[in-house]
Amino acid sequence: MAPTQLRCGDLSISLASPLVMAIVNVTPDSFSDGGSYHSAQGQLQLTAVLNRVEAMLQEGADIIDVGGESTRPGAIPVSLEDELARVIPVIEAIRKRFDVVVSVDTSRPEVISQAADAGAGIINDVRALELPGALAAAANTSLPVCLMHMRGSPQTMQANTEYDDCLNEVHAYLAGRQRAALDASIAGDNILLDPGFGFGKTEQHNLALINQLYRFHDLECPLLVGVSRKSTIGTILNKPVEERLVGSLVLAYESLRQGAKILRVHDVGPTVDMVKMYNALDQNRGS
Ligand code: 7PJ
């Protein structure tokens, strides 16, 4: 059975109803909200971050996902020093000011360890703890981890999107990483899985992942899905990132129908409303 509760350090969260994870990218170059918290001189503005987090919490966010590495296709790799300098002060400042679970979107063992010390409650890794030392660093924190599927690296992932059977490959990969996490002494109840919408996949693969999300339930882990404003939506609607809200909500809604437990999003308020409507329908169905 998938767990119904996550113990995220000093805070716990229930998975009884779906959760909204709000994206805070403290990168100068993320595809949708990059650079929002930087001054003209490129200086990170903590007050701007905290104001945004406060607004997201008022809109009903359950988790704040802090990332310092842009993983959009073709993004420039960030140095360890820069990544640490971006995310650690932000995690500390958020935890000092708000009682909210913070997840850290990182792949590096040093960032995992220092983020946990700074008060992070979830490790969210688009590389599924594949970097050397990452499994051990994550195991050491005793925090929940999210293992995501990606083909290649952000630099190369859209150059190779051929699969014999994408769903089967993603499933086998996540099963393998779940096994690796268990072997590294990460508790089974602390593993979340994510099929990695948009990471080295075609539009048809991305749609199939959502349509067949139910196929991942046999792994008995809560499923996290990130579709927010991604380019598959842009291609289908022929719309720029700032006009992809409805497309994002439709895919997120279908993900909930298929049992997703955490939605990683930019647009918190509208997603929270959608989740409330989903919950109301769900409860009515069961009554
Ligand atoms: C995801 C992520 C995702 C998880 C990013 C973007 C690219 N973490 N980090 N799942 N995407 N777990 O927001 O478009 O889909 S960064």
Side-chain angles (χ1 to χ4, degrees):
M1 268 279 285
T4 53
Q5 187 88 8
L6 288 179
R7 293 224 272 120
C8 306
D10 56 341
L11 299 169
S12 270
I13 40 179
S14 165
L15 294 166
S17 89
L19 301 178
V20 174
M21 172 187 268
I23 301 168
V24 174
N25 269 322
V26 287
T27 53
D29 66 338
S30 269
F31 87 105
S32 155
D33 59 347
S36 321
Y37 315 114
H38 288 78
S39 68
Q41 290 75 36
Q43 204 61 17
L44 181 64
Q45 311 274 278
L46 271 185
T47 330
V49 177
L50 291 174
N51 288 342
R52 180 81 185 113
V53 169
E54 183 170 35
M56 287 169 147
L57 292 176
Q58 273 165 4
E59 290 176 26
D62 301 293
I63 301 166
I64 304 293
D65 189 46
V66 175
E69 178 205 17
S70 174
T71 47
R72 76 189 156 92
I76 304 153
V78 60
S79 71
L80 172 63
E81 291 67 34
D82 283 352
E83 190 183 348
L84 285 169
R86 285 177 192 171
V87 300
I88 304 301
V90 169
I91 295 168
E92 271 170 1
I94 296 174
R95 286 309 317 274
K96 200 163 151 201
R97 173 108 172 256
F98 307 106
D99 261 340
V100 63
V101 172
V102 173
S103 62
V104 59
D105 196 338
T106 190
S107 299
R108 290 187 161 121
E110 299 87 349
V111 182
I112 291 172
S113 305
Q114 292 192 35
D117 291 343
I122 298 176
I123 313 299
N124 173 29
D125 186 6
V126 298
R127 294 179 185 79
L129 302 176
E130 283 211 57
L131 289 195
L135 277 169
N140 243 319
T141 67
S142 302
L143 296 175
V145 298
C146 177
L147 307 175
M148 195 197 80
H149 174 271
M150 165 164 58
R151 175 59 92 62
S153 69
Q155 287 71 49
T156 61
M157 64 188 179
Q158 290 310 120
N160 173 12
T161 54
E162 274 181 40
Y163 297 79
D164 285 335
D165 183 330
C166 181
L167 258 292
N168 275 345
E169 272 188 49
V170 173
H171 188 283
Y173 175 82
L174 292 179
R177 295 314 296 162
Q178 176 186 36
R179 185 71 254 157
L182 292 169
D183 289 347
S185 300
I186 293 174
D189 277 2
N190 265 347
I191 301 174
L192 310 168
L193 298 177
D194 181 337
F197 186 97
F199 284 85
K201 295 158 186 110
T202 65
E203 178 186 316
Q204 291 308 311
H205 294 143
N206 287 325
L207 295 175
L209 284 179
I210 301 300
N211 265 334
Q212 299 181 50
L213 198 65
Y214 66 88
R215 285 175 55 181
F216 296 94
H217 289 313
D218 64 335
L219 298 173
E220 300 192 8
C221 290
L223 299 176
L224 189 155
V225 174
V227 299
S228 189
R229 301 184 185 172
K230 284 187 179 169
S231 71
T232 283
I233 299 167
T235 312
I236 295 169
L237 301 180
N238 192 22
K239 296 230 158 127
V241 289
E242 63 279 10
E243 293 173 31
R244 296 180 189 168
L245 173 60
V246 175
S248 301
L249 289 174
V250 169
L251 293 181
Y253 174 76
E254 182 57 26
S255 303
L256 294 184
R257 296 256 315 150
Q258 304 250 353
K261 290 295 183 218
I262 304 180
L263 300 173
R264 182 180 177 280
V265 307
H266 300 89
D267 301 288
V268 176
T271 307
V272 168
D273 280 357
M274 182 276 283
V275 172
K276 282 186 187 161
M277 291 309 299
Y278 167 83
N279 284 337
L281 277 170
D282 197 45
Q283 278 154 22
N284 169 270
R285 209 177 297 128
S287 67

